[in-house]
Amino acid sequence: MSALPDRDAAAALRVRPMSIHIGAEIEGVDLTRPLAPGAVAAIRAALLEWKVVFFRGQALDHAQHVAFARQFGDPTPGHVVFGGDSVYPEIYSVAKHRVANSVVGVPHVRPWTGWHTDITAALNPPAASILRGVTVPPYGGDTLWTNLVVAYRNLSAPMRRFLEDLRGIHRFEDQQEGRMSREYAEHVRRSRFESEHPLVRIHPETGEKVLFVSPGFLKSIVGLAPRESEALLELLWEHAVRPEFTVRFRWEPGSVAFWDNRATAHLAPRDIFDSDFERQFYRVTLVGDVPRGVDGRESTPIDGDPIVPV
Ligand code: SIN
């Protein structure tokens, strides 16, 4: 049971914004225990407003991490391509050398990624992701998020109108060009996740317009010539991650980041590879809806099944 009655639990929460456009730290809540409905509602409201919220000093184990997540939605399998923890299938290990996820027959090592929104190659990308830091470098290994609603609003009006009619192809593919093993490349090839999403989606809870341009997965824009598509994507990716739309989080052991995957992209760091520091995090993602464009059209599947709860 939650230690506080509902109204008191919500009142005990303090939401401290970290930048003008994105990110807030939430204090006054213990995530190891079931939350009062008022606290769940307050955290959800902060998440929708600030796009990513952070908690400090939460010593969650896997069971508590999953239980916390379940109060906000249905967890997906740890990772639809790379699997999850053998005991807690909802848990995905994000390790420095990415060694601990169970996909039979595949070496358990996969590369680090750049700016992306989680699994947008799927028809229904996760609604939210919850990442907790367990082994945290003393410095370095931060994570950055960008607010794709604000990115959209900061485009010119003619560009916004132009993008609203466009759709993009998102694909999960081996970006490592031979640097990983053949088994890895073969596993990614066989996993075949590909979807067509609107370039501007309507957020299903806030109604906001989101510039839905996940750099790691979005490969081309439907109907444009290849060079037009390439040039426009380069412009949008550069725009989407302008520093004023972003927040940078410095992790401590027990830190938790909870982000709205429908309205953000994030950058997993690479700097720790220039150090001997270890970094072991765990992530749970929540099942998302099928995106809808400004014209009301839903995304369409090209390959792979929709993500279902685990
Ligand atoms: C992720 O891409 O979900 C992990 C981000 C991180 O490791 O900081």
Side-chain angles (χ1 to χ4, degrees):
M1 290 292 288
S2 167
L4 295 172
D6 195 19
R7 202 160 358 117
D8 296 350
L13 285 181
R14 285 176 304 282
V15 179
R16 297 192 190 285
M18 294 165 62
S19 76
I20 300 297
H21 291 305
I22 181 168
E25 196 162 322
I26 299 186
E27 299 169 349
V29 62
D30 176 1
L31 305 188
T32 64
R33 313 176 67 177
L35 300 173
V40 172
I43 292 171
R44 186 183 292 282
L47 178 69
L48 292 176
E49 179 173 1
W50 293 104
K51 314 305 184 207
V52 53
V53 292
F54 304 102
F55 305 87
R56 299 271 186 201
Q58 308 285 340
L60 301 179
D61 59 22
H62 284 356
Q64 290 164 332
H65 189 168
V66 174
F68 170 66
R70 281 192 185 282
Q71 296 172 96
F72 294 89
D74 294 324
T76 70
H79 193 290
V80 287
V81 174
F82 298 111
D85 182 83
S86 52
V87 177
Y88 294 92
E90 306 92 337
I91 297 274
Y92 175 57
S93 164
V94 181
K96 180 173 177 181
H97 297 290
R98 305 253 157 143
V99 286
N101 295 287
S102 57
V103 174
V104 178
V106 178
H108 296 169
V109 175
R110 76 176 194 84
W112 219 236
T113 44
W115 279 104
H116 64 285
T117 300
D118 286 331
I119 327 282
T120 59
L123 178 63
N124 58 334
S129 304
I130 302 168
L131 185 67
R132 80 179 208 268
V134 174
T135 306
V136 176
Y139 50 88
D142 300 352
T143 307
L144 286 86
W145 285 263
T146 193
N147 182 338
L148 297 176
V149 172
V150 170
Y152 173 77
R153 282 193 203 130
N154 278 276
L155 291 165
S156 66
M159 179 60 97
R160 289 200 301 265
R161 280 197 298 276
F162 176 56
L163 297 179
E164 285 182 6
D165 288 335
L166 295 176
R167 293 165 72 91
I169 303 298
H170 295 238
R171 191 182 314 120
F172 204 103
E173 65 184 20
D174 178 13
Q175 300 167 7
Q176 300 306 306
E177 293 154 3
R179 276 176 285 151
M180 304 300 284
S181 68
R182 229 181 19 200
E183 289 89 338
Y184 166 86
E186 181 56 20
H187 178 72
V188 171
R189 202 186 57 72
R190 271 189 284 110
S191 303
R192 302 172 71 91
F193 269 96
E194 187 171 343
S195 301
E196 181 185 302
H197 295 301
L199 237 51
V200 181
R201 73 177 287 191
I202 301 294
H203 193 287
E205 290 187 76
T206 64
E208 294 167 310
K209 291 179 180 174
V210 181
L211 183 63
F212 200 52
V213 291
S214 174
F217 294 108
L218 177 52
K219 303 299 174 194
S220 60
I221 299 177
V222 178
L224 298 194
R227 182 65 192 123
E228 291 171 345
S229 167
E230 194 178 89
L232 182 55
L233 287 179
E234 276 169 14
L235 181 147
L236 294 176
W237 289 332
E238 185 188 303
H239 171 79
V241 302
R242 269 169 47 184
E244 60 268 40
F245 311 150
T246 69
V247 67
R248 181 177 186 127
F249 185 62
R250 180 152 193 190
W251 294 88
E252 294 166 356
S255 298
V256 173
F258 184 179
W259 64 94
D260 186 339
N261 197 53
R262 302 161 297 188
T264 55
H266 56 279
L267 176 70
R270 293 173 203 262
D271 57 347
I272 50 165
F273 287 99
D274 299 332
S275 78
D276 294 329
F277 301 146
E278 281 306 322
R279 187 178 188 269
Q280 174 66 65
F281 288 15
Y282 295 97
R283 193 182 79 187
V284 174
T285 51
L286 301 178
V287 174
D289 59 319
V290 177
R292 203 176 271 282
V294 177
D295 58 3
R297 267 178 74 204
E298 283 194 339
S299 301
T300 47
I302 298 173
D303 218 336
D305 295 323
I307 301 175
V308 292
V310 66

PDB file of all heavy atoms in Angstrom, residues 34 45 76 101 118 150 169 179 189 309:
ATOM      1  N   PRO A  34       3.722   0.574  -4.289  1.00  0.00           N
ATOM      2  CA  PRO A  34       2.592   0.961  -5.146  1.00  0.00           C
ATOM      3  C   PRO A  34       2.232   2.419  -4.906  1.00  0.00           C
ATOM      4  O   PRO A  34       2.293   2.910  -3.781  1.00  0.00           O
ATOM      5  CB  PRO A  34       1.455   0.037  -4.670  1.00  0.00           C
ATOM      6  CG  PRO A  34       2.128  -1.081  -3.971  1.00  0.00           C
ATOM      7  CD  PRO A  34       3.401  -0.538  -3.385  1.00  0.00           C
ATOM      8  N   ALA A  45       0.698  13.528 -15.557  1.00  0.00           N
ATOM      9  CA  ALA A  45       0.523  14.920 -16.007  1.00  0.00           C
ATOM     10  C   ALA A  45       1.886  15.585 -16.227  1.00  0.00           C
ATOM     11  O   ALA A  45       2.095  16.306 -17.219  1.00  0.00           O
ATOM     12  CB  ALA A  45      -0.301  15.697 -14.986  1.00  0.00           C
ATOM     13  N   THR A  76       5.927  -3.951 -22.860  1.00  0.00           N
ATOM     14  CA  THR A  76       6.236  -4.747 -24.057  1.00  0.00           C
ATOM     15  C   THR A  76       7.266  -5.805 -23.654  1.00  0.00           C
ATOM     16  O   THR A  76       7.867  -5.702 -22.581  1.00  0.00           O
ATOM     17  CB  THR A  76       6.884  -3.866 -25.150  1.00  0.00           C
ATOM     18  OG1 THR A  76       8.200  -3.505 -24.703  1.00  0.00           O
ATOM     19  CG2 THR A  76       6.076  -2.606 -25.414  1.00  0.00           C
ATOM     20  N   ASN A 101      21.010  -9.644 -22.994  1.00  0.00           N
ATOM     21  CA  ASN A 101      19.647  -9.940 -23.434  1.00  0.00           C
ATOM     22  C   ASN A 101      19.607 -11.272 -24.162  1.00  0.00           C
ATOM     23  O   ASN A 101      20.534 -11.658 -24.858  1.00  0.00           O
ATOM     24  CB  ASN A 101      19.111  -8.810 -24.304  1.00  0.00           C
ATOM     25  CG  ASN A 101      18.967  -7.538 -23.493  1.00  0.00           C
ATOM     26  OD1 ASN A 101      18.079  -7.432 -22.668  1.00  0.00           O
ATOM     27  ND2 ASN A 101      19.902  -6.619 -23.663  1.00  0.00           N
ATOM     28  N   ASP A 118      12.398   5.197 -29.509  1.00  0.00           N
ATOM     29  CA  ASP A 118      12.489   3.738 -29.397  1.00  0.00           C
ATOM     30  C   ASP A 118      11.558   3.010 -30.378  1.00  0.00           C
ATOM     31  O   ASP A 118      10.351   3.276 -30.435  1.00  0.00           O
ATOM     32  CB  ASP A 118      12.175   3.289 -27.957  1.00  0.00           C
ATOM     33  CG  ASP A 118      13.333   3.604 -27.003  1.00  0.00           C
ATOM     34  OD1 ASP A 118      14.492   3.632 -27.471  1.00  0.00           O
ATOM     35  OD2 ASP A 118      13.085   3.828 -25.803  1.00  0.00           O
ATOM     36  N   VAL A 150       8.051  20.791 -29.536  1.00  0.00           N
ATOM     37  CA  VAL A 150       8.642  22.127 -29.656  1.00  0.00           C
ATOM     38  C   VAL A 150       9.435  22.232 -30.962  1.00  0.00           C
ATOM     39  O   VAL A 150       9.435  23.277 -31.625  1.00  0.00           O
ATOM     40  CB  VAL A 150       9.528  22.419 -28.424  1.00  0.00           C
ATOM     41  CG1 VAL A 150      10.340  23.680 -28.618  1.00  0.00           C
ATOM     42  CG2 VAL A 150       8.642  22.569 -27.198  1.00  0.00           C
ATOM     43  N   ILE A 169       9.355   6.196 -44.113  1.00  0.00           N
ATOM     44  CA  ILE A 169       9.582   4.756 -43.951  1.00  0.00           C
ATOM     45  C   ILE A 169      10.591   4.553 -42.813  1.00  0.00           C
ATOM     46  O   ILE A 169      11.726   5.048 -42.883  1.00  0.00           O
ATOM     47  CB  ILE A 169      10.156   4.132 -45.250  1.00  0.00           C
ATOM     48  CG1 ILE A 169       9.222   4.398 -46.439  1.00  0.00           C
ATOM     49  CG2 ILE A 169      10.403   2.632 -45.059  1.00  0.00           C
ATOM     50  CD1 ILE A 169       7.850   3.798 -46.312  1.00  0.00           C
ATOM     51  N   ARG A 179      30.710  -4.262 -39.063  1.00  0.00           N
ATOM     52  CA  ARG A 179      31.521  -4.179 -37.848  1.00  0.00           C
ATOM     53  C   ARG A 179      31.060  -5.165 -36.788  1.00  0.00           C
ATOM     54  O   ARG A 179      31.775  -5.457 -35.862  1.00  0.00           O
ATOM     55  CB  ARG A 179      31.518  -2.751 -37.299  1.00  0.00           C
ATOM     56  CG  ARG A 179      32.578  -1.889 -37.994  1.00  0.00           C
ATOM     57  CD  ARG A 179      32.536  -0.469 -37.540  1.00  0.00           C
ATOM     58  NE  ARG A 179      31.394   0.219 -38.125  1.00  0.00           N
ATOM     59  CZ  ARG A 179      30.763   1.235 -37.564  1.00  0.00           C
ATOM     60  NH1 ARG A 179      31.151   1.671 -36.401  1.00  0.00           N
ATOM     61  NH2 ARG A 179      29.744   1.813 -38.154  1.00  0.00           N
ATOM     62  N   ARG A 189      18.427  -8.839 -39.908  1.00  0.00           N
ATOM     63  CA  ARG A 189      17.778  -8.951 -41.226  1.00  0.00           C
ATOM     64  C   ARG A 189      16.493  -9.777 -41.120  1.00  0.00           C
ATOM     65  O   ARG A 189      15.465  -9.439 -41.677  1.00  0.00           O
ATOM     66  CB  ARG A 189      18.760  -9.593 -42.212  1.00  0.00           C
ATOM     67  CG  ARG A 189      18.444  -9.280 -43.676  1.00  0.00           C
ATOM     68  CD  ARG A 189      19.340 -10.056 -44.625  1.00  0.00           C
ATOM     69  NE  ARG A 189      19.276 -11.508 -44.427  1.00  0.00           N
ATOM     70  CZ  ARG A 189      18.252 -12.281 -44.747  1.00  0.00           C
ATOM     71  NH1 ARG A 189      17.181 -11.746 -45.283  1.00  0.00           N
ATOM     72  NH2 ARG A 189      18.278 -13.579 -44.510  1.00  0.00           N
ATOM     73  N   PRO A 309       1.566  -6.710 -25.549  1.00  0.00           N
ATOM     74  CA  PRO A 309       2.051  -6.774 -24.166  1.00  0.00           C
ATOM     75  C   PRO A 309       2.707  -8.124 -23.871  1.00  0.00           C
ATOM     76  O   PRO A 309       2.341  -9.131 -24.469  1.00  0.00           O
ATOM     77  CB  PRO A 309       0.775  -6.627 -23.338  1.00  0.00           C
ATOM     78  CG  PRO A 309      -0.233  -6.048 -24.260  1.00  0.00           C
ATOM     79  CD  PRO A 309       0.127  -6.470 -25.641  1.00  0.00           C
TER      80      PRO A 309
END
